[in-house]
Amino acid sequence: MNNKTEVTAAALAIGDELLSGRTRDKNIGHLAQTLTSVGINLREVRIVADEQDEIVAAVNALRAKFDYLFTSGGIGPTHDDITADAVSKAFGVECIYDDDAMELLAAHYKSREMEFTDARQRMARMPNGSTHIDNPVSKAPGFNKENVYVMAGVPKVFEAMLNNVVPTLQTGQKLLSRSVPCRHGEGVIGTPLGLIQKENPDISIGSYPRFGDDGSFSTEIIVRGLDQADVDKAALEIEQMLANLN
Amino acid sequence: MNNKTEVTAAALAIGDELLSGRTRDKNIGHLAQTLTSVGINLREVRIVADEQDEIVAAVNALRAKFDYLFTSGGIGPTHDDITADAVSKAFGVECIYDDDAMELLAAHYKSREMEFTDARQRMARMPNGSTHIDNPVSKAPGFNKENVYVMAGVPKVFEAMLNNVVPTLQTGQKLLSRSVPCRHGEGVIGTPLGLIQKENPDISIGSYPRFGDDGSFSTEIIVRGLDQADVDKAALEIEQMLANLN
């Protein structure tokens, strides 16, 4: 594919609960759809536990390799929320109580007549030199340091933060796609479909099998590319190939 | 935590469709729950695209770091199914048409009066020296090479293959867990909960916020550990701490 205007991204979901199976991640799928819709190419995802060394290693690997890194989880008020410390360590900067975040949270809890506990103050911590990501759901902000966007793990908060982030991102050419339904299994179409892929190097053809409960097979074929004419040409070739099979 | 009998694992999900948002992964959550239930500690998950270099790098990083690596996706009959090639390259061995798999598939398609196409023969390919993972759903086997288990991406097939694999795995001590419900938000309990964690280094306390649609906060506290007495002791301390808040 033509990568001249490609913008790439990675995601890092942080939390023991995702790895123990207690919680099924909902943020990765949402992030993937959102980024694709604006022309950012999500290239890799990792999930790691609430362990500082693991988070630091993943943050540094992914922020170096891709244009953007989006993280979810570990920015709450409890002892197992260590993402702010870990991201600070990854950047080699101090994890500070951010003045603006302290002010914002102090005012928030005062207005609700709640104590601004030590635990709540933890949510104002972020790497020195970060900017906030607003949190319209529960107030405590996420943060952005260079190309890394650190957001909450709770899906409602993650989505709200992402909504604030997306308009600020550099985006690339949108990936266009067309779906071609196919009543054959992959074993029937695999060889001719591979030939069409070979003849159309600027597009990417994905083939997704479906197994019916009755033992039947069918396939969804997805043609993806940056140029509408290329996508349409390949989709037409696939439709013709399928018509000849019937 | 006491790691004397810990058995660790990683998961690698392979497929452009997971990163574009077309498909939401269902295998990682299932694998996480299954491994936890038998005493294997899932420590890291990655999702990569259908690109050989990315798959090779992830396979080699994860198989070296953990006792087991489980992969999903990319073992079908079409051109975008490149997992067998990539895993072969990761091990530095040839990707061969496995004799037994060829025989199995030839007989299967013959019995269904279907042609054993080139595409279908692709599903018999695996790294030299692999053993099969039986596929009761759609026949084409997964494979196991050293500590790497390569399975299909279609959830029904992944789950069936995993069922065949699990009884063959070395397992560690099962992680025990107790849930302690808490009607307070994390900001109220964060500090005392952190103290209990500090006093109980052999257990791990996770704290998971819940935001109600009415703007209310509550928390689920999960105590995890390898020793029932340790888990019960910490859970009791948390319950007493919560009672004192009321």
Side-chain angles (χ1 to χ4, degrees):
Chain A
M1 268 185 267
N2 178 351
N3 285 338
K4 266 187 302 192
T5 61
E6 192 185 23
V7 178
T8 61
L12 175 64
I14 298 162
D16 292 351
E17 70 279 16
L18 303 170
L19 295 167
S20 73
R22 175 195 169 274
T23 304
R24 297 216 173 189
D25 172 80
K26 290 178 182 163
N27 296 324
I28 293 166
H30 176 76
L31 179 69
Q33 287 182 325
T34 303
L35 294 180
T36 298
S37 74
V38 299
I40 295 174
N41 196 354
L42 181 63
R43 301 297 299 151
E44 182 170 342
V45 173
R46 297 192 190 181
I47 306 176
V48 298
D50 299 311
E51 291 188 12
Q52 181 161 292
D53 293 348
E54 298 297 324
I55 302 170
V56 170
V59 166
N60 280 335
L62 296 172
R63 75 185 174 100
K65 196 170 170 189
F66 302 100
D67 294 325
Y68 291 117
L69 169 62
F70 303 94
T71 81
S72 64
I75 62 168
T78 53
H79 64 278
D80 57 341
D81 291 306
I82 61 169
T83 299
D85 296 276
V87 174
S88 300
K89 193 169 177 197
F91 278 100
V93 302
E94 210 185 333
C95 188
I96 58 158
Y97 286 85
D98 179 86
D99 286 341
D100 291 344
M102 285 294 279
E103 210 169 298
L104 176 84
L105 289 171
H108 171 65
Y109 289 112
K110 193 174 176 190
S111 77
R112 295 175 66 136
E113 299 184 345
M114 290 161 78
E115 194 188 342
F116 190 26
T117 57
D118 285 353
R120 290 184 174 124
Q121 290 179 36
R122 274 179 64 81
M123 295 190 288
R125 296 171 76 246
M126 54 186 76
N128 203 353
S130 301
T131 56
H132 297 193
I133 300 170
D134 280 351
N135 169 1
V137 177
S138 53
K139 222 63 183 179
F143 57 84
N144 163 224
K145 173 80 177 169
E146 298 183 14
N147 65 337
V148 180
Y149 294 79
V150 174
M151 295 178 281
V154 175
K156 206 187 301 186
V157 184
F158 179 85
E159 290 170 22
M161 288 182 173
L162 186 63
N163 284 345
N164 287 329
V165 165
V166 166
T168 72
L169 301 174
Q170 191 198 331
T171 56
Q173 228 174 306
K174 278 185 207 177
L175 194 64
L176 306 169
S177 72
R178 262 184 69 173
S179 169
V180 182
C182 165
R183 64 184 184 80
H184 300 283
E186 288 191 308
V188 176
I189 58 157
T191 304
L193 194 68
L195 291 174
I196 295 173
Q197 172 68 84
K198 249 186 202 157
E199 287 159 12
N200 291 275
D202 287 341
I203 54 104
S204 154
I205 303 174
S207 166
Y208 307 107
R210 286 182 175 162
F211 300 141
D213 285 329
D214 57 352
S216 66
F217 296 83
S218 63
T219 309
E220 188 179 13
I221 300 168
I222 308 265
V223 183
R224 299 184 186 92
L226 296 172
D227 184 87
Q228 189 69 56
D230 289 345
V231 170
D232 291 343
K233 172 178 170 288
L236 184 65
E237 287 177 24
I238 293 166
E239 282 161 0
Q240 287 169 340
M241 177 271 285
L242 294 175
N244 288 337
L245 286 179
N246 291 337
Chain B
M1 268 186 267
N2 179 351
N3 285 338
K4 267 186 299 190
T5 60
E6 192 184 22
V7 178
T8 61
L12 175 64
I14 298 162
D16 292 350
E17 71 279 16
L18 302 170
L19 294 166
S20 73
R22 175 195 169 275
T23 304
R24 298 215 172 191
D25 172 81
K26 289 178 182 163
N27 296 325
I28 294 166
H30 176 76
L31 179 69
Q33 286 183 324
T34 304
L35 294 180
T36 298
S37 74
V38 298
I40 295 174
N41 196 353
L42 181 64
R43 301 297 299 151
E44 181 170 343
V45 173
R46 297 192 190 181
I47 306 175
V48 299
D50 299 312
E51 291 188 12
Q52 181 163 289
D53 293 348
E54 298 297 325
I55 302 170
V56 170
V59 166
N60 279 336
L62 296 172
R63 76 185 173 100
K65 196 170 167 189
F66 302 101
D67 294 325
Y68 291 116
L69 168 61
F70 302 94
T71 81
S72 64
I75 62 168
T78 54
H79 64 277
D80 56 340
D81 292 306
I82 62 168
T83 299
D85 296 276
V87 174
S88 300
K89 192 168 177 198
F91 278 100
V93 302
E94 210 185 333
C95 189
I96 59 160
Y97 287 84
D98 179 86
D99 286 341
D100 290 344
M102 285 294 279
E103 210 169 298
L104 176 84
L105 289 170
H108 171 65
Y109 289 112
K110 194 175 175 188
S111 77
R112 296 175 66 137
E113 298 184 348
M114 291 163 77
E115 194 188 343
F116 192 25
T117 59
D118 286 354
R120 291 186 174 122
Q121 290 180 34
R122 274 179 64 82
M123 295 190 288
R125 297 171 75 245
M126 54 186 74
N128 203 353
S130 300
T131 56
H132 295 193
I133 299 171
D134 280 350
N135 169 0
V137 177
S138 54
K139 222 62 185 179
F143 56 86
N144 163 223
K145 173 80 177 169
E146 296 182 15
N147 65 336
V148 180
Y149 294 79
V150 174
M151 296 177 281
V154 174
K156 206 188 300 185
V157 184
F158 179 86
E159 290 171 21
M161 287 181 172
L162 186 63
N163 284 345
N164 288 328
V165 165
V166 166
T168 71
L169 301 174
Q170 190 198 333
T171 56
Q173 228 175 307
K174 279 186 207 176
L175 194 65
L176 306 169
S177 72
R178 263 185 69 173
S179 169
V180 182
C182 165
R183 64 184 183 79
H184 299 284
E186 288 191 307
V188 176
I189 58 157
T191 303
L193 194 67
L195 291 175
I196 295 173
Q197 171 68 83
K198 250 188 203 155
E199 287 159 12
N200 292 274
D202 287 341
I203 54 103
S204 155
I205 304 175
S207 165
Y208 307 107
R210 286 182 174 161
F211 300 141
D213 286 329
D214 57 352
S216 67
F217 296 83
S218 62
T219 309
E220 188 181 11
I221 300 168
I222 308 265
V223 183
R224 299 184 186 91
L226 296 173
D227 185 89
Q228 189 70 56
D230 289 345
V231 170
D232 290 344
K233 171 178 171 287
L236 184 66
E237 287 177 24
I238 293 167
E239 282 162 0
Q240 285 169 342
M241 177 271 285
L242 294 175
N244 287 337
L245 287 178
N246 291 338

